[in-house]
Amino acid sequence: GENVEQHPSTLSVQEGDSAVIKCTYSDSASNYFPWYKQELGKRPQLIIDIRSNVGEKKDQRIAVTLNKTAKHFSLHITETQPEDSAVYFCAASSNTNAGKSTFGDGTTLTVKP
Amino acid sequence: GAGVSQTPSNKVTEKGKYVELRCDPISGHTALYWYRQSLGQGPEFLIYFQGTGAADDSGLPNDRFFAVRPEGSVSTLKIQRTERGDSAVYLCASSLLAGPENEQFFGPGTRLTVL
């Protein structure tokens, strides 16, 4: 089955700096890669996703890149703000596992004011 | 209505007892998923439903776990003979259709503690 690894497990940045979180996956059939933000005690919420037919997607301060050959994808947050502090999860799924998402173990991002 | 809801929000039980966890998906969503999240880890897939049928139950850890969705809406996750290792947050999610390009909307979770 699919295996998703996520790094780093914790990340601390100064407000205004950029943050990068990286994930690798093992199943070459995976074709959909969402990123979730989970604040303490809250539910995971989708913040951005990318499909395997594109290499990069951007939405304001967040962007995701995908390298299918290397089987890795990354989340980039620019101009970080204290409210970006949360746990971020990457995930992977494929048409062959129609609903089944495999998640990474999360990155705890702390943005210091 | 609002988003996905789950009840109870917290459940404390004793080892060996039976528990039921309920999920109310977003109205009209045909796909429903159950995940388990242990402390410091990402959600772990358990089972998903397309309509009333379990389309993939490969994540259920053993036969103590069972889930139903009899009318294609509300789902119940049932755990028999609970063990301390079952303690986790159980998350439910729903999406309009099954498939990787359909956004999954998560509920707030049920925190299960087995003493």
Side-chain angles (χ1 to χ4, degrees):
Chain A
E2 175 68 280
N3 181 51
V4 175
E5 296 194 354
Q6 183 171 348
H7 300 279
S9 56
T10 60
L11 180 59
S12 182
V13 299
Q14 215 50 51
E15 182 177 2
D17 287 351
S18 295
V20 180
I21 303 170
K22 300 182 179 181
C23 289
T24 60
Y25 62 98
S26 61
D27 187 353
S28 57
S30 288
N31 60 356
Y32 176 66
F33 308 92
W35 285 88
Y36 294 86
K37 176 182 181 182
Q38 187 174 29
E39 297 177 0
L40 191 62
K42 301 285 183 66
R43 67 194 76 190
Q45 291 195 303
L46 180 72
I47 55 171
I48 195 168
D49 56 17
I50 191 167
R51 291 158 177 77
S52 60
N53 59 345
V54 298
E56 184 173 359
K57 182 177 178 180
K58 193 171 183 180
D59 182 3
Q60 299 182 342
R61 295 188 298 109
I62 59 174
V64 57
T65 59
L66 171 65
N67 183 328
K68 284 181 60 180
T69 303
K71 296 202 195 75
H72 67 70
F73 55 112
S74 301
L75 177 71
H76 305 252
I77 307 174
T78 58
E79 301 170 28
T80 52
Q81 301 167 2
E83 50 266 39
D84 294 330
S85 297
V87 181
Y88 291 81
F89 293 97
C90 62
S93 61
S94 71
N95 290 332
T96 54
N97 289 322
K100 180 178 175 178
S101 290
T102 301
F103 285 77
D105 281 340
T107 297
T108 301
L109 173 65
T110 303
V111 180
K112 300 177 190 174
Chain B
V4 178
S5 62
Q6 292 185 246
T7 54
S9 55
N10 280 283
K11 176 70 177 178
V12 180
T13 191
E14 293 180 344
K15 181 175 178 296
K17 299 288 188 183
Y18 168 82
V19 296
E20 289 190 353
L21 311 179
R22 175 187 168 110
C23 173
D24 279 88
I26 293 172
S27 177
H29 279 195
T30 63
L32 184 147
Y33 313 82
W34 283 100
Y35 294 89
R36 177 168 70 175
Q37 187 174 25
S38 300
L39 194 62
Q41 296 183 6
E44 173 193 10
F45 171 81
L46 297 176
I47 184 171
Y48 96 90
F49 291 86
Q50 177 60 52
T52 60
D56 185 342
D57 65 358
S58 61
L60 294 177
N62 51 60
D63 61 6
R64 294 187 297 105
F65 289 74
F66 189 71
V68 296
R69 195 186 186 201
E71 297 178 358
S73 178
V74 171
S75 177
T76 305
L77 178 65
K78 308 179 181 194
I79 310 174
Q80 298 178 320
R81 305 183 303 281
T82 51
E83 299 177 356
R84 293 196 179 90
D86 298 335
S87 297
V89 175
Y90 288 80
L91 292 166
C92 174
S94 71
S95 61
L96 187 60
L97 299 169
E101 298 187 2
N102 291 275
E103 181 179 351
Q104 295 185 22
F105 294 85
F106 282 85
T110 293
R111 182 175 298 279
L112 175 65
T113 304
V114 182
L115 302 177

